[in-house]
Amino acid sequence: FNRRLPLGYADYSHALDQAQNGHTFLRVSSSDLRRADNKRVHTVRDLIVEMDSEGNAVDEFKLWEILDPYRDNVLKALDQG
């Protein structure tokens, strides 16, 4: 696998999965994420981008909108038992 990331994405992680339709899912960072107040925010591989066979981004999944931001508390509680 030797391709450039689609525009708007950076910092590819080691995570890579092939979909049945030939697309690829990559764990990446945003290269220019803006908050509602237009402040630029640095992300750390917290996006999953779906890329077609030509290398174009066809969908993205923002993990900060999907996962519970307080999940570390749950993991600590489970570890105590």
Side-chain angles (χ1 to χ4, degrees):
F1 190 85
N2 186 14
R3 299 196 181 175
R4 291 186 181 268
L5 291 174
L7 289 177
Y9 301 101
D11 197 23
Y12 161 70
S13 173
H14 64 279
L16 170 108
D17 280 313
Q18 289 292 133
Q20 291 179 353
N21 64 359
H23 291 182
T24 306
F25 293 96
L26 303 170
R27 184 175 154 208
V28 297
S29 298
S30 171
S31 62
D32 190 28
L33 184 69
R34 304 288 179 129
R35 294 188 325 196
D37 63 0
N38 206 33
K39 180 178 178 171
R40 181 174 286 140
V41 179
H42 178 72
T43 71
V44 181
R45 293 184 299 273
D46 50 3
L47 288 164
I48 305 295
V49 64
E50 180 179 356
M51 206 168 72
D52 66 15
S53 60
E54 300 296 317
N56 302 305
V58 295
D59 203 354
E60 73 176 13
F61 305 91
K62 297 174 181 174
L63 297 180
W64 64 87
E65 293 178 352
I66 298 169
L67 298 174
D68 178 2
Y70 302 106
R71 65 192 175 277
D72 63 328
N73 292 339
V74 175
L75 294 174
K76 287 177 187 175
L78 289 173
D79 193 40
Q80 293 175 6

